[in-house]
């Protein structure tokens, strides 16, 4: 069974940084693209970034490019999202997902709140 | 990277069919066969209902079907049931990035 468990969310001040992690199990992690999706409170879904199986290709939404960095460690079956220069607009639940031309399996999400 | 356009809400009585449209451009929906649909109940994690325009993952009822014509994709729910009341989002590959739709609330009357 595919399991994705996000962690690292919390309260951070505007302008601050945070690193999210996603622990994967139940599938061959190194064989899949992985994705981050976020959802602001009461709002719709927003694709954030994705990363190729070996980490050699990464793509970002315009709203986070230059501030967020996606990475992975296939030896640890883990996906990461480094977030910096955070603003209130980044407040959201962040989901990691196993991808196959779109998110297929989703984690439960971790809440990031940007507030002073 | 503009969101795909969906109707804000659709509704139907139990047993009826409803169709949700998802309008994009030739750079996303119209240009690729990679359109997905997600169902999200309040407070829950999104669930994949359709991928690659019209493919259903195992476990998804065949009441759910997807199609595409030009720059518009559609999700049809046939034989509407009470548990189908939820938010639905389309999603498309757009070259070097992806984009979600604006979301549609389906209400079962």
């Amino acid at each position: 069974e595919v399991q994705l468990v996000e962690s690292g969310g919390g309260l951070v001040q505007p302008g601050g940084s945070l690193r999210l992690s996603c622990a994967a199990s139940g599938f061959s992690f190194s064989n899949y693209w992985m994705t981050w999706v976020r959802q602001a409170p009461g709002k719709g879904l927003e694709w954030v970034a994705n990363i190729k199986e070996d980490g050699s290709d990464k793509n970002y939404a315009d709203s986070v490019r230059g501030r967020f960095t996606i990475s992975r460690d296939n030896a640890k079956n883990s996906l990461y999202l480094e977030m910096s220069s955070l603003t209130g607009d980044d407040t959201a639940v962040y989901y990691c997902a196993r991808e196959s031309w779109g998110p297929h399996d989703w984690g439960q999400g971790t809440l990031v709140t940007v507030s002073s | 990277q503009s969101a795909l356009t969906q109707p804000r809400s659709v509704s139907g009585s139990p047993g009826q069919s409803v169709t949700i449209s998802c309008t994009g451009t030739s750079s996303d929906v119209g240009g690729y066969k990679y359109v997905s649909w997600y169902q999200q109940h309040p407070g829950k994690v999104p669930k994949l209902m359709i991928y690659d325009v019209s493919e259903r993952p195992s476990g998804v009822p065949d009441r759910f079907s997807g199609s595409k014509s030009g720059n518009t994709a559609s999700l049809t729910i046939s034989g509407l049931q009470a548990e189908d009341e939820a938010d639905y989002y389309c999603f498309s590959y757009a070259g070097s990035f992806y984009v979600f739709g604006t979301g549609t609330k389906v209400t079962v009357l």
Side-chain angles (χ1 to χ4, degrees):
Chain A
E1 178 193 2
V2 173
Q3 282 206 325
L4 297 164
V5 180
E6 302 91 340
S7 60
L11 177 63
V12 60
Q13 292 191 336
S17 300
L18 206 60
R19 186 198 202 204
L20 305 183
S21 300
C22 172
S25 61
F27 66 101
S28 183
F29 181 75
S30 60
N31 287 349
Y32 288 88
W33 282 72
M34 295 295 294
T35 283
W36 286 99
V37 173
R38 69 183 181 181
Q39 186 170 34
K43 301 297 184 181
L45 299 170
E46 180 185 15
W47 176 81
V48 173
N50 69 352
I51 184 168
K52 193 176 179 179
E53 296 97 327
D54 62 0
S56 63
D57 191 11
K58 306 173 185 181
N59 299 294
Y60 298 92
D62 286 347
S63 58
V64 307
R65 187 177 291 111
R67 300 187 301 120
F68 289 14
T69 301
I70 189 171
S71 63
R72 64 192 296 162
D73 185 337
N74 287 344
K76 295 183 178 180
N77 289 343
S78 293
L79 175 71
Y80 306 102
L81 187 67
E82 294 269 7
M83 306 183 295
S84 64
S85 302
L86 288 163
T87 73
D89 288 344
D90 298 313
T91 293
V93 173
Y94 286 73
Y95 298 99
C96 74
R98 183 178 74 159
E99 186 192 306
S100 180
W101 297 106
H104 276 229
D105 302 287
W106 298 63
Q108 290 298 308
T110 187
L111 176 63
V112 172
T113 302
V114 183
S115 175
S116 54
Chain B
Q1 296 184 359
S2 300
L4 307 174
T5 301
Q6 297 181 232
R8 200 169 186 89
S9 64
V10 299
S11 61
S13 300
Q16 289 187 328
S17 292
V18 296
T19 296
I20 304 168
S21 61
C22 170
T23 302
T25 69
S26 59
S27 296
D28 39 62
V29 174
Y32 306 95
K33 66 174 183 177
Y34 304 118
V35 175
S36 308
W37 288 90
Y38 301 87
Q39 176 192 66
Q40 187 179 34
H41 289 106
K44 300 298 185 181
V45 176
K47 176 185 177 182
L48 178 68
M49 304 303 283
I50 296 288
Y51 67 97
D52 293 356
V53 175
S54 59
E55 299 297 315
R56 251 188 332 271
S58 61
V60 173
D62 59 7
R63 304 184 289 105
F64 292 85
S65 62
S67 63
K68 189 184 80 162
S69 177
N71 297 336
T72 298
S74 299
L75 174 71
T76 297
I77 309 173
S78 305
L80 199 61
Q81 297 185 7
E83 59 261 36
D84 299 333
E85 184 162 298
D87 293 324
Y88 291 82
Y89 296 90
C90 61
F91 178 87
S92 175
Y93 179 63
S96 60
F97 62 94
Y98 287 102
V99 61
F100 276 100
T102 50
T104 298
K105 180 173 181 57
V106 171
T107 300
V108 181
L109 301 172

